[in-house]
Structure formats: structure tokens, C-alpha cells
Amino acid sequence: MTASLEHLRRCHFGVDLGAARTRVYVRGAGLVVDQPSVAALNTQSGALIAVGELAEKMTGRTPDYIRVVRPVSGGTVVDIEMAQRMLRHLLGDRMRRSLRRRPRLRAAACTPHDADPLAQRATIETLVGLGARRVELVDTLIAAAVGCGLPVERPEATMIMVCGAAATQVAVLSLGSIVTAERVPVGGEAVDHAIVQHLRHEHELMLPSQSVRPLQLALSGNGLTPHGPASTEIHGRDVATGLARSVRVDTAAVREAIQTPLTAVLDLIGKVLRDCPPDLVADLADRGIMMVGGSALLPGLDQMLREATGIPVHIAERPDVCAVQGLGAMMEGRIEPLVLDPLGA
């Protein structure tokens, strides 16, 4: 379900609720919130202690009476009340008062491709709880394509790959609509988990916190490519003794450990291309794939996809904020729809 440009131009603010980060775009003010989708809660009093970056730093470091929660999972709101409380604190009193003064406050939100009605309803109820009288839903794939400057309104193929924390979405767009698209529940978190499990099984080493990006620790330089460093040193906790320990990890073994989640992404791209009309596939041979999303910055991922598919792969200039920037561009009226005049008799 994607709202029309006419409806989006009436929206006052747009929200991209991601599993990793929450972003809010206010018309006329730009991007005002870009924080982790995390909240810290006092289980004894029910009070919210921290949200965003401060709450994320508390992960794995809290006493028993403090619980760190993530109200969004895989682009879907799983705890509506907590998501509303988190958004209120992230926006701040001044911005909330400014939004409340708008008559008939309207909001827009990004939703994953093929999100079920319950997931869409949860997103709508979250924003209605913030005072929105009407909520327009926009497919994340279209918003991200607009945000990274792809000519989605033209009669030619553009392929976009949204690499999120919990899911990866791939689509071929033409004439402002999705021709074919697929989604797989594999993202940056799956790659991180594969590395964590490899270090635990092969080296009996536990990383200090799941909030640490283990891929950036284990892979540096050329990342996933064989031309990267042969080994790297990792600091963690010994599984048996519980003491701090450092080990030197073979990066070739790490690359092999993460092949399973990356293979699922390659299969996803292959399925989308097989379902795409031949004329559009011919366009993609020249234009290639545009990667957006926070996980698009995984080192060497673009080169691995380039070698596996044989077509060009590009990373957007600011891949992590493309979806919310596209939402903002449509709200601000910077995107003109393609007008097809009916032919006269």
C-alpha cells in the first residue's frame, strides 16, 4: 500500500521505524530524529529511563531492575505503547508542541514491502497515539529509491536493494511502481550473529555485547573480499573461564562463516531478476543495483554482489537515511508525478 503524492504533500511529518534506528522527518525542518530504536525501562516503577543512543549503550550493562527493549522488529512495531513513548521522548517537548499546533495533523510512515495488515495497523496506531489524525503508508522500497535519486517515474528499470538490520528487500521499479519485489528476513543482524557464533564455536570467545558491531571488528580493509587482511585480533571473554582474552582470527574463516546469510541475499536477487520482464533486465545490465540501508555499508558486500551477479552494484551516498529522505522529498513536493495524457480518439 503506497499513498499518492497528493496525499503525501498534505503530511506534516514522516517516520521511518526501523529495527536498528528510528528517523523522523518534519516538513520544513528536515531530518530531526536519527536515533537507535531502543528504550530503557525501570521494571519496578514503569518509568522510561533513556531512549536512543543512551539506551543502546546500556545494552548488556544494566542491573536487574532496568530492562532494555526494542519496540520495533524487522520494520514492524511489536510494542505499540513503548514505540509511542520512545517517539515522544525522541521528538522532545518543543517539537511535539510545534506539531500539535498543526490543524488536522497528518503523518506518513515507511512500511516493509508486503507488510501484512496487522503490521500496517500497528504502525498507524503508533502515529495516531502521537496525535496524527491521518496516516499515509509508503512502501520502503519506493521511498528509498526516491531518496537516493533514482529516476523511478521513468519507463525504464531501476533496481534497488534495501539492506536493513533484520531484513533485505529487493525490487525492480518502473513508471513509479514496483514491477517485482521480494523480501527475505536476513539482514545485518544475521551476518553479525553468524560471526558471533563462529567466534564462540571455533575460538571459545564471547564478544562483550551484542551492540558491538562484530563485523567491523573481524573484517577491515577490503572486508568480505579475499584481498583483505589475512587475520585480525579480536578481544572478548573466554567461554570457559570468563576472563578477558584476545585471539587472532583468520578472516578467510570468517568470510566462510557468513556465506549462509549472504547466500540468501544472492538467491533473493536471482529470484527478482527471474520474475522481471526481459526488457527491464536489459536496462539493469547497464544501470545495475543501487544499495541503500545501514547494512549496505558492510565492508566488501558490494564487491561480492558485483562478482556474483555480473552487473554493476552501487552504494547510495547516504544509504542509511535514503528512505526517510525520500519520504521527506515526497512530502515537500519535490517529486513530480509522471503525467500520462489519454490519447484522443
Side-chain angles (χ1 to χ4, degrees):
M1 176 181 178
T2 296
S4 68
L5 285 174
E6 186 62 34
H7 287 156
L8 287 172
R9 285 172 182 166
R10 300 174 188 170
C11 292
H12 301 98
F13 71 102
V15 178
D16 178 17
L17 280 167
R21 298 184 75 86
T22 292
R23 299 176 176 93
V24 180
Y25 187 103
V26 175
R27 193 173 70 189
L31 186 63
V32 298
V33 173
D34 184 2
Q35 293 277 342
S37 304
V38 189
L41 186 71
N42 186 323
T43 57
Q44 296 175 353
S45 64
L48 205 60
I49 297 174
V51 295
E53 291 180 356
L54 180 57
E56 189 175 48
K57 290 178 181 177
M58 294 182 179
T59 305
R61 299 179 174 89
T62 60
D64 292 339
Y65 67 91
I66 297 179
R67 184 164 59 98
V68 177
V69 297
R70 293 181 178 270
V72 184
S73 176
T76 301
V77 178
V78 294
D79 188 336
I80 295 175
E81 182 185 356
M82 187 56 63
Q84 289 174 349
R85 294 175 69 182
M86 180 185 73
L87 276 170
R88 286 193 194 102
H89 282 78
L90 289 176
L91 282 170
D93 293 337
R94 183 177 177 183
M95 184 57 69
R96 291 208 319 273
R97 284 196 298 268
S98 173
L99 288 174
R100 282 200 202 102
R101 286 197 289 267
R102 309 286 178 94
R104 295 192 60 81
L105 184 65
R106 291 183 177 225
C110 294
T111 56
H113 180 69
D114 283 345
D116 60 72
L118 285 177
Q120 293 181 355
R121 188 67 194 169
T123 302
I124 291 173
E125 288 187 12
T126 299
L127 298 186
V128 167
L130 292 177
R133 300 288 297 273
R134 182 184 174 99
V135 179
E136 307 289 350
L137 299 182
V138 179
D139 197 304
T140 301
L141 290 163
I142 292 180
V146 171
C148 64
L150 290 178
V152 293
E153 74 283 355
R154 297 180 186 173
E156 55 191 38
T158 54
M159 190 171 190
I160 188 160
M161 177 176 172
V162 179
C163 309
T168 300
Q169 306 172 67
V170 179
V172 174
L173 310 176
S174 181
L175 290 172
S177 299
I178 295 174
V179 178
T180 179
E182 293 292 338
R183 180 170 175 255
V184 64
V186 174
E189 291 176 354
V191 174
D192 289 352
H193 181 71
I195 296 176
V196 168
Q197 291 302 310
H198 170 75
L199 295 175
R200 184 184 180 95
H201 293 153
E202 298 297 324
H203 300 279
E204 297 185 347
L205 190 76
M206 292 180 64
L207 291 181
S209 172
Q210 290 298 320
S211 64
V212 176
R213 290 289 296 174
L215 187 63
Q216 269 64 27
L217 296 173
L219 298 173
S220 56
N222 293 319
L224 306 181
T225 67
H227 308 295
S231 64
T232 187
E233 193 172 12
I234 299 292
H235 307 282
R237 190 180 71 184
D238 190 279
V239 173
T241 65
L243 300 176
R245 183 164 64 92
S246 299
V247 296
R248 184 153 287 279
V249 178
D250 182 12
T251 53
V254 174
R255 286 195 298 271
E256 185 177 347
I258 62 178
Q259 282 306 307
T260 299
L262 294 182
T263 298
V265 174
L266 289 174
D267 292 342
L268 183 70
I269 295 174
K271 189 175 189 310
V272 170
L273 290 175
R274 286 193 298 272
D275 295 341
C276 189
D279 290 342
L280 294 182
V281 174
D283 291 344
L284 297 175
D286 296 328
R287 297 184 182 87
I289 306 171
M290 178 65 76
M291 293 174 60
V292 302
S295 298
L297 298 172
L298 297 179
L301 178 59
D302 56 331
Q303 185 172 340
M304 189 206 71
L305 294 177
R306 197 176 295 119
E307 294 173 354
T309 60
I311 59 179
V313 178
H314 314 283
I315 301 177
E317 185 176 349
R318 292 192 62 193
D320 51 338
V321 297
C322 281
V324 73
Q325 292 286 13
L327 202 59
M330 290 185 279
M331 287 165 46
E332 301 274 11
R334 295 198 297 267
I335 306 299
E336 294 295 332
L338 177 67
V339 178
L340 297 176
D341 294 325
L343 296 175

